[in-house]
Amino acid sequence: METKKPANRRETEDRRPEGLTSPVEGFNDRARRAVRDEELHDSVELFTNKSVAGRNAVLNALPEAPELRERAYRIKQETMANLDRHLGQMADAVEGRGGNVFFAETGEDVVRYIGDLARRRGAKVITKSKSMATEEIELNRRLEEDYADLDLEIVETDLGEWIAQLAGDTPSHIVGPILHMNRRRITEVLSETAGERLPPDVEALGSFARRRLREKFLAADIGITGANFGVAQTGTIATVTNEGNGRLVTSVPPVHVVVMGIEKLVPRFEDLSVFVRLLARSGTGQKLTVYTNFVTGPRAPGELDGAEEFHLILMDNGRSELLGTPFEEALYCIRCGACLNVCPVYRQTGGHAYGSTYSGPIGAVITPLLKGGKEAKDLPHASSLCGACWEACPVGIPLHDLLLKLRNKQVQEGITGRAQGLAFKGFENTMKNPALYRISGKAGRLAQRPLAKAGAPKTLPGPLGAWTNSRDLPKLAPKPFSQLWKEGI
């Protein structure tokens, strides 16, 4: 394949506000628009159905899957209980291999470290593999804006992430970032980049992407990756991918930077065998992803590949505040996306409705925790509490319980409105008092008569209409169960 170096064609400026730095409030309005988008619905349904079917098939064929799930939970539990010790061990191991370690308390610290590094290295082109941590802090946008004098070109190299970047769009799923796009839209985006009309053919589009991205790989001064796992025992970074871009990002540029959330640690190398077997099966329905990469420090004398300079950034950004709290289990997430695929809310709205890097049930939990409850107050309510997310989670995170705790926290902190609080208090009193319950039932049957059309109320008046805007309100039965019971049913 022909390639040219350097790649001087700058293809995009990345100004996407896709992370937790930008406002995330407004789920209800975005979700309302999303459920009316039939094309989006079809795309989400196709992806999630395929993912769920694949996951079920490979996990059902793994007899030890329940045991692995239990072991994964215990490993994460033990890791969080001793996180400070494991972080110190990780840092010592990386530095012992000649790498550099930086503890970043905030996203600003990460941006400053990489920006200063780019300045010192005279960098112009930075390639990135898929990284939720860098999307969380909007690294691309902030580097381009805060270090504008460097004129950095930052290129996403995961195919889906690259197409989203070219389109000025944001990922809508942890694993499938452009599941919301169909082939027609992808062809439009790549044709605009190519400067010519490309055929809507997978092979032709893929060939163009490989050719263009290879130019960027060869021109890159710095490669940035995330980490699926970091092994404290050895200082090893593990990434699991289905594209070869991860290896090109870590081995072609002279400098490799890893941005890793501190919760991604596992204590021992043998722990990886538990998580690697669960991650691919849960995320994509594969027994194993195509590439499982291990990087332990910079290239050593006598080694054939690897970066000459290695930097590990251990990012906190609010995570340590969850340790020892009722929400600590949110840190056990391995970002497989399985909870998104089974969530009845996500399957109707897609990921953009959440307004955050993290969508679906895990996003509804972790975004308010990292961003702040007031800024994301709709998200804990973006759930039916059916528990499907907990059943699908390969680590057994009780996401539905965490969502309830977040709602309770909102009440305690006064984030929910007074009217909502009074409504739930009234509901509680009604359910506790049989006489009041019977009276409310009679009142409800009387009240629904003028509202009923074709047998069931379609809309409720005033502020109550918010409930029926997107939900059906079933008609109350003519007789309550207690009366039917007395009558012998």
Side-chain angles (χ1 to χ4, degrees), residues 47-59 130 158 173-177 240-243 276-291 334-339 341 392 394:
F47 180 91
T48 54
N49 283 349
K50 184 178 179 181
S51 298
V52 171
R55 170 190 171 276
N56 291 343
V58 293
L59 283 177
K130 195 171 187 305
D158 173 274
H173 190 282
I174 292 174
V175 176
V240 293
T241 71
N242 279 317
E243 301 175 23
V276 169
R277 279 190 284 173
L278 289 171
L279 178 55
R281 285 178 167 86
S282 301
T284 55
Q286 297 168 282
K287 292 181 180 177
L288 199 64
T289 51
V290 177
Y291 299 93
I334 59 174
R335 308 285 191 263
C336 68
C339 62
N341 299 334

Side-chain angles (χ1 to χ4, degrees), residues 129 217 225 239 241 243-253 290-294:
S129 70
F217 287 128
T225 71
T239 58
T241 71
E243 301 175 23
N245 66 309
R247 290 187 175 177
L248 291 167
V249 169
T250 60
S251 59
V252 175
V290 177
Y291 299 93
T292 303
N293 307 308
F294 303 106

